Amino acid sequence: MKRIFLSMTFCLTFSFVAFSANAEMPLIELKAGKQKLTAEVANTDPDRIQGLMHRRMLPENRGMLFVFPNIGYHGIWMKNTFIPLSVAFIDDKGVIVNIEDMQPNTLDAHNAKQPVRYALEMNLGWFRKHGIAPGTKLEGLDRAPPPR
């Protein structure tokens, strides 16, 4: 009986952990210049680590917002990420500091040029296509869940 209980406890715990790892991240609406977009919010360590890994596509005007627990020179890489992306590093006031283009499945570091609170990943060239450049302010970041 004790073995059955332990086995059931393990299965339930494993199922909860697996479900939590695959749970959807919160979504928020943002605006960059005149362009509206929807972003999944990675505000926890597991979500920031997972990022857009293992995804095969990202819909137009959809991205991922990384909310960091501290302001700093944060970096992004593309390990196990199959979609070419552009990343905007954003300061605590919501202003884009720099934008970097990233190729899939590489270990190259792409870093903020100044201390930032956020990074926003979008499809490769999305920022350029919409005329969004360093100095552009993002609206809606105040609705992002706080970092955990």
Side-chain angles (χ1 to χ4, degrees), residues 2 5 10 15 23 37 51 65 84 97 99 114 118 123 128 142 146:
K2 188 174 182 181
F5 177 75
F10 173 78
S15 296
L37 65 109
L65 178 70
V97 171
I99 299 170
Q114 297 174 16
Y118 310 96
N123 282 310
R128 189 172 32 259
D142 56 321

Side-chain angles (χ1 to χ4, degrees), residues 3-14:
R3 281 187 177 173
I4 293 172
F5 177 75
L6 289 174
S7 180
M8 288 177 59
T9 302
F10 173 78
C11 288
L12 287 172
T13 302
F14 180 76

Side-chain angles (χ1 to χ4, degrees), residues 20-21 23-26 40-55 64-71 74-79 81 85 87 89 102 116-121 144-148:
S20 297
E24 290 187 25
M25 295 177 210
E40 295 176 60
V41 181
N43 67 317
T44 66
D45 283 337
D47 288 346
R48 284 187 295 269
I49 291 167
Q50 178 69 32
L52 290 170
M53 283 184 180
H54 307 290
R55 306 255 186 118
M64 181 168 287
L65 178 70
F66 293 81
V67 183
F68 299 111
N70 58 355
I71 297 169
H74 296 286
I76 302 283
W77 67 345
M78 296 287 285
K79 181 178 181 180
T81 305
L85 299 171
V87 60
F89 292 99
M102 306 183 296
V116 297
R117 166 73 69 192
Y118 310 96
L120 176 63
E121 291 181 339
R148 300 185 311 195

Side-chain angles (χ1 to χ4, degrees), residues 86-148:
S86 294
V87 60
F89 292 99
I90 305 159
D91 71 14
D92 202 35
K93 295 176 183 167
V95 177
I96 295 175
V97 171
N98 62 297
I99 299 170
E100 304 292 326
D101 290 338
M102 306 183 296
Q103 294 305 310
N105 223 6
T106 60
L107 300 180
D108 300 336
H110 304 276
N111 300 306
K113 292 183 179 177
Q114 297 174 16
V116 297
R117 166 73 69 192
Y118 310 96
L120 176 63
E121 291 181 339
M122 301 294 290
N123 282 310
L124 182 69
W126 185 90
F127 296 101
R128 189 172 32 259
K129 175 181 175 182
H130 296 288
I132 298 163
T136 302
K137 184 172 173 110
L138 266 71
E139 296 176 30
L141 291 171
D142 56 321
R143 293 189 303 274
R148 300 185 311 195

Side-chain angles (χ1 to χ4, degrees), residues 23-45:
E24 290 187 25
M25 295 177 210
L27 296 174
I28 63 168
E29 301 294 321
L30 298 172
K31 191 173 177 186
K34 295 179 181 180
Q35 186 62 44
K36 292 181 181 180
L37 65 109
T38 302
E40 295 176 60
V41 181
N43 67 317
T44 66
D45 283 337

